[in-house]
Amino acid sequence: MADSSFDIVSKVERQEVDNALNQAAKEISQRYDFKGVGASISWSGEQILMEANSEDRVKAILDVFQSKLIKRGISLKALDAGEPQLSGKEYKIFASIKEGISQENAKKVAKTIRDEGPKGVKAQVQGEELRVSSKSRDDLQAVITLLKGKDYDFAMQFVNYR
């Protein structure tokens, strides 16, 4: 019998992020505490730009956006938000969406699988993803459970389970 396998990836559905951004923009335009403060959230190329006339307001916009991402099932680990910056009279926060697993993070995950996972499970880095394979599907389930219990600084999804 051939080995069973699955891939560990870090991907974000762009449409879901767009929907969360649109919901946040709508809420910001309707909330009374954002009236008249120049509060906005929008795409700026590949980044998300949040701006308002005070540091507290721009942080509140980020908070609204984060809550919309959570409701849409997107991990906040995929959001890389900067610090508020003063630009003229406006405060701005630039945020980007992180995708892909870096080589060093992939090596950390592979080491965890080797050290703590069941014997006979192999993990190999393939670009920005990690392929985990084993003869036993139960071992693969155990690896998924093990990795879900760990706290890594990137969002992780398990795909192509065969």
Side-chain angles (χ1 to χ4, degrees):
M1 189 173 112
D3 283 3
S4 300
S5 69
F6 68 88
D7 295 335
I8 301 171
V9 297
S10 182
K11 289 194 171 114
V12 176
E13 182 110 12
R14 174 82 177 201
Q15 186 61 50
E16 289 296 323
V17 174
D18 207 33
N19 291 344
L21 186 128
N22 291 336
Q23 286 179 336
K26 186 173 182 181
E27 182 174 321
I28 289 163
S29 71
Q30 293 175 346
R31 272 181 36 182
Y32 71 94
D33 57 334
F34 287 123
K35 293 278 186 239
V37 296
S40 69
I41 180 170
S42 62
W43 285 104
S44 172
E46 283 296 306
Q47 291 190 315
I48 297 158
L49 171 64
M50 294 161 260
E51 49 190 356
N53 67 359
S54 76
E55 191 172 346
D56 292 339
R57 292 273 190 263
V58 80
K59 285 182 178 175
I61 293 170
L62 177 61
D63 193 47
V64 168
F65 182 53
Q66 287 174 334
S67 71
K68 299 299 179 193
L69 286 174
I70 290 170
K71 283 183 182 168
R72 294 209 150 269
I74 297 170
S75 171
L76 291 183
K77 291 177 181 178
L79 180 69
D80 185 17
E83 288 299 310
Q85 303 165 342
L86 184 59
S87 169
K89 292 182 177 177
E90 297 274 307
Y91 279 89
K92 296 182 177 186
I93 293 179
F94 285 98
S96 59
I97 303 297
K98 294 187 291 190
E99 288 192 308
I101 302 173
S102 69
Q103 288 292 322
E104 68 181 55
N105 283 335
K107 287 178 183 172
K108 281 184 200 171
V109 173
K111 182 171 174 22
T112 302
I113 293 170
R114 269 195 316 278
D115 294 348
E116 301 175 37
K119 297 286 178 237
V121 175
K122 296 185 285 291
Q124 62 214 56
V125 179
Q126 296 179 328
E128 293 190 337
E129 56 185 49
L130 195 69
R131 163 99 14 112
V132 181
S133 57
S134 172
K135 293 212 182 299
S136 162
R137 286 182 166 230
D138 291 340
D139 287 351
L140 292 180
Q141 292 287 349
V143 169
I144 290 175
T145 306
L146 168 75
L147 293 177
K148 282 184 177 177
K150 299 284 182 191
D151 187 31
Y152 292 103
D153 60 349
F154 60 95
M156 201 184 314
Q157 294 88 30
F158 306 101
V159 296
N160 295 339
Y161 188 85
R162 334 186 166 85

